[in-house]
């Protein structure tokens, strides 16, 4: 995967357009996500470990909103059994084309089926592990419960959902503090104040963060028996929900 530096928001633009996962983003994506999401690499590695532990014979692991397939490759690297497969889905054609190319260059491991589709529209069946790594935050809030119910229905007993999200906080001071810490993180990764503020405008109304309590309650309504955070770095968290 290329590691071209993300400079998309480094020059001032008159009007900042809403963020889209297009070709310009694909070109810089690995660099962008690593320098923007604290703990991203730790989460990707752990997704592989969790998949290895929870994958079931003759089942499917789903990577929903897979982008360039970082979680898919991590799962494929760690999973030891051979009678299972991964289904990786994203609705960005540019992402999927790049992922197809990466998979052609690396065919080792269990089968990966790639789908260019809206994750709200796909069939989910026979799933032992489902990964939503920073994807649910881009789904309209009103669609989230029905989507999570579908995920729950498609999961095998003993299945797990790994849900990573940017979090919001009810307490105003905590919200300010965590936002400030995230900006400090981005500055430490080489982003300028201009890049940080233009990216923030681009993501407004596109990335819709919610509190941990909201996620936990919704997952309960969807059927999951237990949800806990297993990793958090400032306002970015990864949860495990158990069927
Ligand atoms: C990773 N999981 O590297 N249907 C399908 N895909 C969607 C939809 C949708 N409705 N909405 C957004 N996406 C990856 C990182 S990035 C997170 C995930 C980020 C896709 C979108 O095209 C993009 O590729 C991905 O979800 C979100 O572990 O950039 O902050």
């Amino acid at each position: 995967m290329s590691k071209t530096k993300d400079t998309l928001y480094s020059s001032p633009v008159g009007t900042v357009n809403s963020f889209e996962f297009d070709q310009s983003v694909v070109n810089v994506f690995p660099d962008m996500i690593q320098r923007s999401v604290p703990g991203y690499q730790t989460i990707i590695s752990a997704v592989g470990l969790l998949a290895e532990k929870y994958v079931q014979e003759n089942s499917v692991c789903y990577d929903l909103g897979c982008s360039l397939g970082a979680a898919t490759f991590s799962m494929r690297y760690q999973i030891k059994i051979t009678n299972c497969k991964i289904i990786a889905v994203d609705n960005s054609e540019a992402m999927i084309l790049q992922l197809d190319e990466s998979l052609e260059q690396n065919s080792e491991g269990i089968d990966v089926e790639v789908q260019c589709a809206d994750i709200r529209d796909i069939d989910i069946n026979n799933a032992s592990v489902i990964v939503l790594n920073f994807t649910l935050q881009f789904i309209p809030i009103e669609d989230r419960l029905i989507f999570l119910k579908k995920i729950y229905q498609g999961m095998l007993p003993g299945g797990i959902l790994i849900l990573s999200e940017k979090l919001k906080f009810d307490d105003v001071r905590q919200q300010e503090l965590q936002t400030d810490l995230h900006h400090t993180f981005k500055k430490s990764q080489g982003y300028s104040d201009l890049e940080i503020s233009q990216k923030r405008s681009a993501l407004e109304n596109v990335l819709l963060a919610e509190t941990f309590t909201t996620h936990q309650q919704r997952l309960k309504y969807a059927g999951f028996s237990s949800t806990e955070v297993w990793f958090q770095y400032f306002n970015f968290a990864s949860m495990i929900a158990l069927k």
Side-chain angles (χ1 to χ4, degrees):
M1 249 177 243
S2 74
K3 252 306 179 62
T4 310
K5 191 166 188 220
D6 168 26
T7 55
L8 291 182
Y9 294 98
S10 57
S11 313
V13 286
T15 316
V16 182
N17 293 324
S18 284
F19 190 81
E20 277 181 44
F21 292 96
D22 57 17
Q23 189 60 51
S24 64
V25 169
V26 168
N27 295 340
V28 299
F29 190 73
D31 178 69
M32 170 188 276
I33 197 154
Q34 260 188 23
R35 293 200 291 131
S36 305
V37 175
Y40 173 75
Q41 202 47 57
T42 302
I43 295 171
I44 289 295
S45 303
V47 163
L49 298 181
L50 287 163
E52 201 259 318
K53 193 166 167 60
Y54 286 95
V55 68
Q56 300 178 31
E57 306 270 340
N58 299 306
S59 73
V60 183
C61 298
Y62 286 86
D63 181 6
L64 304 178
C66 58
S67 301
L68 300 180
T72 290
F73 282 108
S74 180
M75 289 195 281
R76 191 161 74 151
Y77 181 69
Q78 292 291 344
I79 288 173
K80 306 289 185 301
I81 61 170
T82 52
N83 55 352
C84 61
K85 69 172 176 179
I86 299 172
I87 296 183
V89 187
D90 204 289
N91 65 351
S92 158
E93 218 178 302
M95 289 286 186
I96 290 297
L97 284 173
Q98 182 63 51
L99 173 57
D100 278 335
E101 210 171 286
S102 308
L103 285 166
E104 263 171 42
Q105 283 160 21
N106 179 353
S107 56
E108 248 172 69
I110 53 169
D111 280 353
V112 179
E113 188 183 312
V114 176
Q115 294 179 15
C116 186
D118 191 308
I119 52 175
R120 287 166 293 180
D121 300 335
I122 61 160
D123 289 332
I124 297 177
N125 292 307
N126 194 28
S128 52
V129 177
I130 298 189
V131 177
L132 275 171
N133 204 35
F134 301 107
T135 304
L136 190 69
Q137 58 196 17
F138 294 106
I139 300 292
I141 289 179
E142 63 273 20
D143 292 351
R144 292 182 187 180
L145 177 60
I146 198 155
F147 173 58
L148 289 171
K149 278 185 177 165
K150 188 168 83 167
I151 285 187
Y152 181 81
Q153 295 301 330
M155 276 170 70
L156 295 164
I160 62 161
L161 167 68
I162 304 165
L163 173 65
S164 311
E165 289 277 294
K166 182 175 187 180
L167 290 184
K168 217 171 83 176
F169 300 85
D170 283 328
D171 184 275
V172 176
R173 284 171 314 157
Q174 198 64 245
Q175 180 63 42
E176 274 173 17
L177 170 79
Q178 299 280 351
T179 305
D180 191 42
L181 287 169
H182 179 219
H183 291 177
T184 304
F185 172 84
K186 287 189 77 164
K187 277 171 107 165
S188 79
Q189 298 296 308
Y191 282 118
S192 67
D193 287 330
L194 178 70
E195 285 176 297
I196 294 169
S197 86
Q198 292 194 142
K199 176 78 177 288
R200 195 181 183 185
S201 305
L203 284 172
E204 218 175 335
N205 305 320
V206 176
L207 191 171
L208 304 166
E210 296 177 293
T211 65
F212 169 65
T213 309
T214 301
H215 284 295
Q216 195 180 36
Q217 276 169 359
R218 185 188 292 115
L219 286 159
K220 195 170 174 196
Y221 291 140
F224 289 90
S225 57
S226 158
T227 302
E228 291 297 344
V229 170
W230 68 269
F231 180 83
Q232 184 167 347
Y233 190 159
F234 300 149
N235 46 349
F236 290 79
S238 189
M239 301 157 246
I240 295 180
L242 306 175
K243 176 145 184 171

